[in-house]
Amino acid sequence: MCSMKKHMSVAVAVLLGTAAFCGDSLSPLASGDVALNGGLARYMEKSMAGWILGDVPYHEFARFFRDGRPKFATGEMWGKFVRAGCMFYRYAHDEAIKARMKECVADILAAERSNGSISCSPVEAQPDGRGGDLWERKYVMLGLEGYYSYVDRDPAVLESLKRQADAIIAQVGPPPKVDVRDQGWSPNHVESSTLLEPFMRLHSLTRERRYLDFARYLVDCGGAKGSDLVQMAFDKVPPHLMAGAYPKAYETTSYFEGLADYWRATGDERVGRAVLNYFELVRDRELTIVGNGGADQPFHPRVFGEAWSDTAREQTNPDIKRMMETCTGVTWMKFCSHILRMTGDCSAAEAIERYVYNGLVGAMKPDGKGFSYVNLLDGEKVTNKGWGWDFGGKRVTCCNLNGPMGLAYIPYVSVMQAADGLALNIYNGLRAKANAPSGAAVEMAVETDYPLSGHVRIVLSPAAAEEFALRLRIPAWSAETGVRLNGVAYGAKPESGRYLEMRRIWWKGDVVELDFDMRCRLLKGPSGVNQAGDDRVAVAYGPIVLTRDEDVDKRYNEPVHIVATADGTIQAKRIEPAPNGAQVAFAVPTVEGTIVMTDYASADCWDGSHVRTWLSERLVSRRKR
Ligand SMILES: [Zn+2]
């Protein structure tokens, strides 16, 4: 085994040319080995019951492949539904989910066409250009790959996947075949090159060379017509300037997920650098305080809020009407899981935490029966308006289908395995089964009501005493973190935004306690092109962003001046029980008097009510003065 594997920066070393490629730094625990029992478990249970096992027209999704689709790209629905269902099965091993997935798979396999494809278009019309045929076939493949990997290793599924891939290879490629960059509905056709992900998965399942060759073609094509996304990321072009007028956040990130897998398989240094750069660029330039990104203003008004738009800076822009598509956030979260696996970069886990506790659960309908399409920080927090199709009065959007996938990914990243120990990334009540370096079992229990409080108790139970590293993510926002080992203050002072590495001989029943710095703090608004952020502030409690909810306070939109200390700490008082079903609420001091703020995620705006997250100190924005 490669000695670099001991460290958390293998992939970085590879990129610097100091080591041969030797695989991931972290890997997810095996299927079924993480069981959440904290607050996040409730969201996951609602999504499984309300969506995966709910009243969803999944037979209709499959019917499009037999009878044709009613609208471009609607063939994506089958694969997205099944992909999320299979990921939930990986977590819960629920027999009802298995039975439903089995039904879905039987449906779709029966739709195979004479050339082996599973497509909404007849063979003679494939690939069908603007209809989105390749994008839809990508999702069929991902759905079936999820089923084969996590639910049932049915050889018929793998054989079908190979026939589907071979049909695509026969149609798409260098001349005289069709150019992948000419296929799809969007101006730069970025969606079609996202076939990279299912081809890399199929290559890892079969090790057959032709799938990697086709993946190389997709990499060499650069992902979009007129823009080489790989080279642009390599050159650190900001995401909102990538892909010309159409830097669609979700599809671009999906292509980079495929690139991460390609890097994992090949160790290609240029691709690896591009993947890491893309992660850093999106993290630093596109994400809002609730962990999702992309917006219509100010750069891409015609992409419906689904384009990268320098959103980290522009998130206070009062002209934004649509931003933070759920599909974008979920795909970003999945991409972050690649970065975590490959590099062990703690900031990828921090990005996931920020999205999960704010943007993701904040987008779910309270009954679990769907997710918001775009999500505003100020104004209408949620909406079901956007691309989709009505099935006899039931509207299904891309985001309804992708939101559950985000929830199903939480256990995949919460606790991860390294060659020399364990990493705890997402704090929530859970039990996990992992392995010590010797291979012996290690059980971990995380007992906490986090993020309602900042106290986390971790109990380790190795089968036998053994030396290994326990890495605990110390959030960047936690200025002072208390650590106790078996009741005694731990010597090393943890550094915010890094893993605290505790390497020692662990005994059954060893207890680590963490106390994060949950003091409410002021977030200063970033200032974009119209400098609206100059008078905007927000308030956070630990990982949670607070908001003013119209249903809690009718004066939610009035300007206020928050009273904070010089270091940004706010003397806010917890209100219990929290109003309007919120998880947490605070009485926040302002010059104008105390205001009530609740967690952004809990604000239930499905009744059309509004929120105000970036509080304004003035009624009129700077631009309009
Ligand atoms: Zn969507």
Side-chain angles (χ1 to χ4, degrees):
M1 181 180 292
C2 170
S3 66
M4 282 300 291
K5 203 150 187 172
K6 276 211 290 273
H7 302 290
M8 304 298 282
S9 56
V10 174
V12 177
V14 171
L15 291 171
L16 297 174
T18 55
F21 186 75
C22 58
D24 286 345
S25 293
L26 294 175
S27 49
L29 301 186
S31 171
D33 279 357
V34 181
L36 280 102
N37 54 40
L40 291 175
R42 286 196 287 281
Y43 291 98
M44 295 170 66
E45 280 154 16
K46 280 184 181 174
S47 185
M48 283 189 271
W51 184 259
I52 301 298
L53 293 172
D55 175 23
V56 174
Y58 53 94
H59 288 300
E60 293 296 299
F61 300 163
R63 195 173 58 77
F64 295 164
F65 291 87
R66 298 193 302 273
D67 304 345
R69 65 168 105 71
K71 179 180 175 180
F72 77 97
T74 40
E76 71 169 32
M77 292 179 170
W78 183 90
K80 281 188 182 172
F81 178 69
V82 171
R83 180 176 76 154
C86 295
M87 198 67 189
F88 267 124
Y89 182 79
R90 183 190 190 279
Y91 166 69
H93 289 187
D94 179 291
E95 287 304 312
I97 293 179
K98 183 176 192 171
R100 182 164 283 195
M101 293 303 117
K102 221 175 166 68
E103 220 184 304
C104 288
V105 167
D107 251 6
I108 207 77
L109 293 184
E112 183 172 320
R113 295 185 184 268
S114 60
N115 65 345
S117 68
I118 297 181
S119 164
C120 294
S121 300
V123 173
E124 61 279 8
Q126 294 173 4
D128 81 349
R130 295 184 59 77
D133 181 33
L134 294 181
W135 169 258
E136 297 167 332
R137 286 157 80 178
K138 157 201 164 168
Y139 271 109
V140 172
M141 289 180 71
L142 287 174
L144 289 173
E145 284 164 353
Y147 183 81
Y148 183 78
S149 300
Y150 304 138
V151 182
D152 182 4
R153 266 188 129 68
D154 177 354
V157 170
L158 189 63
E159 289 309 310
S160 167
L161 277 162
K162 287 157 74 172
R163 288 193 297 274
Q164 292 173 53
D166 292 341
I168 290 169
I169 293 171
Q171 293 165 345
V172 180
K177 297 178 192 174
V178 172
D179 189 321
V180 71
R181 291 164 293 190
D182 291 328
Q183 291 296 308
W185 63 85
S186 76
N188 63 6
H189 308 302
V190 59
E191 60 274 18
S192 298
S193 290
T194 64
L195 272 170
L196 187 55
E197 187 187 4
F199 269 82
M200 287 313 303
R201 288 188 175 219
L202 187 57
H203 174 256
S204 90
L205 290 171
T206 63
R207 296 280 150 203
E208 290 190 28
R209 182 83 206 177
R210 63 188 185 281
Y211 303 131
L212 189 60
D213 289 343
F214 187 73
R216 184 171 300 110
Y217 160 75
L218 294 172
V219 172
D220 291 346
C221 283
K225 186 150 186 115
S227 302
D228 184 335
L229 302 177
V230 182
Q231 193 58 37
M232 285 177 143
F234 185 86
D235 293 337
K236 298 193 178 179
V237 175
H240 70 290
L241 301 176
M242 288 171 77
Y246 197 77
K248 187 81 159 47
Y250 159 32
E251 287 84 343
T252 304
T253 308
S254 178
Y255 180 61
F256 275 85
E257 275 195 274
L259 289 172
D261 270 333
Y262 182 81
W263 177 29
R264 183 176 283 116
T266 63
D268 183 308
E269 289 188 23
R270 186 183 73 107
V271 170
R273 174 54 70 190
V275 167
L276 281 193
N277 285 354
Y278 184 75
F279 167 68
E280 289 171 5
L281 288 162
V282 172
R283 181 194 62 193
D284 298 343
R285 303 239 6 193
E286 290 295 343
L287 295 186
T288 73
I289 50 174
V290 299
N292 195 353
D296 51 0
Q297 296 293 343
F299 299 112
H300 301 291
R302 291 197 183 85
V303 197
F304 312 107
E306 300 168 20
W308 294 134
S309 211
D310 214 11
T311 317
R313 264 178 231 182
E314 296 294 340
Q315 60 184 300
T316 54
N317 190 323
D319 299 331
I320 289 175
K321 297 280 185 296
R322 289 172 72 88
M323 68 191 301
M324 304 193 293
E325 186 192 7
T326 294
C327 290
T328 299
V330 169
T331 310
W332 164 247
M333 178 180 169
K334 289 171 67 244
F335 177 68
C336 286
S337 80
H338 280 286
I339 300 296
L340 250 187
R341 286 163 62 193
M342 304 190 89
T343 68
D345 178 349
C346 184
S347 78
E350 181 113 3
I352 292 172
E353 169 177 82
R354 198 188 331 176
Y355 179 55
V356 165
Y357 279 123
N358 297 288
L360 178 64
V361 299
M364 190 174 87
K365 290 182 182 171
D367 57 9
K369 296 181 179 177
F371 276 77
S372 179
Y373 199 107
V374 282
N375 303 273
L376 287 178
L377 294 164
D378 303 313
E380 285 182 36
K381 190 184 112 174
V382 290
T383 178
N384 210 25
K385 288 196 194 87
W387 180 94
W389 188 251
D390 289 307
F391 296 85
K394 186 176 181 73
R395 177 102 185 144
V396 176
T397 71
C398 49
C399 295
N400 294 163
L401 291 152
N402 260 337
M405 187 65 171
L407 292 173
Y409 250 73
I410 295 169
Y412 189 77
V413 294
S414 296
V415 183
M416 294 179 105
Q417 182 85 53
D420 64 346
L422 305 178
L424 181 52
N425 293 315
I426 304 296
Y427 296 102
N428 208 255
L430 61 82
R431 298 185 81 83
K433 285 185 225 154
N435 296 103
S438 68
V442 179
E443 291 193 7
M444 177 196 272
V446 179
E447 299 163 358
T448 181
D449 64 351
Y450 182 93
L452 304 189
S453 86
H455 185 70
V456 178
R457 186 169 183 272
I458 301 151
V459 184
L460 285 177
S461 303
E466 182 172 338
E467 182 178 332
F468 60 88
L470 175 64
R471 291 184 181 85
L472 302 170
R473 184 178 61 81
I474 308 299
W477 49 259
S478 182
E480 301 282 338
T481 303
V483 186
R484 293 167 79 80
L485 172 61
N486 294 327
V488 179
Y490 188 68
K493 187 175 153 55
E495 209 181 322
S496 305
R498 309 290 290 245
Y499 283 110
L500 168 67
E501 185 179 305
M502 302 174 83
R503 189 183 293 273
R504 64 191 289 276
I505 295 172
W506 293 97
W507 299 77
K508 193 176 172 68
D510 277 344
V511 175
V512 180
E513 288 168 282
L514 299 170
D515 280 290
F516 296 120
D517 185 349
M518 303 292 279
R519 289 175 296 174
C520 283
R521 62 192 193 280
L522 197 69
L523 308 176
K524 290 235 162 76
S527 229
V529 292
N530 65 5
Q531 300 182 319
D534 288 2
D535 71 341
R536 301 290 161 99
V537 293
V539 180
Y541 165 72
I544 285 180
V545 172
L546 302 180
T547 196
R548 297 185 76 182
D549 179 350
E550 183 176 14
D551 286 340
V552 171
D553 177 5
K554 294 289 170 229
R555 300 171 66 182
Y556 76 101
N557 216 15
E558 291 184 5
V560 286
H561 294 76
I562 304 268
V563 177
T565 60
D567 69 353
T569 305
I570 301 165
Q571 300 295 325
K573 260 213 187 89
R574 187 81 171 258
I575 301 170
E576 288 179 292
N580 213 34
Q583 292 186 83
V584 290
F586 287 92
V588 177
T590 78
V591 172
E592 292 78 7
T594 300
I595 59 168
V596 176
M597 298 189 76
T598 53
D599 60 302
Y600 174 85
S602 293
D604 176 6
C605 298
W606 290 96
D607 60 359
S609 66
H610 299 77
V611 291
R612 182 100 202 175
T613 310
W614 282 114
L615 309 182
S616 178
E617 297 182 334
R618 277 183 284 263
L619 273 172
V620 188
S621 82
R622 179 166 293 246
R623 194 173 59 94
K624 288 171 184 157
R625 264 196 312 176

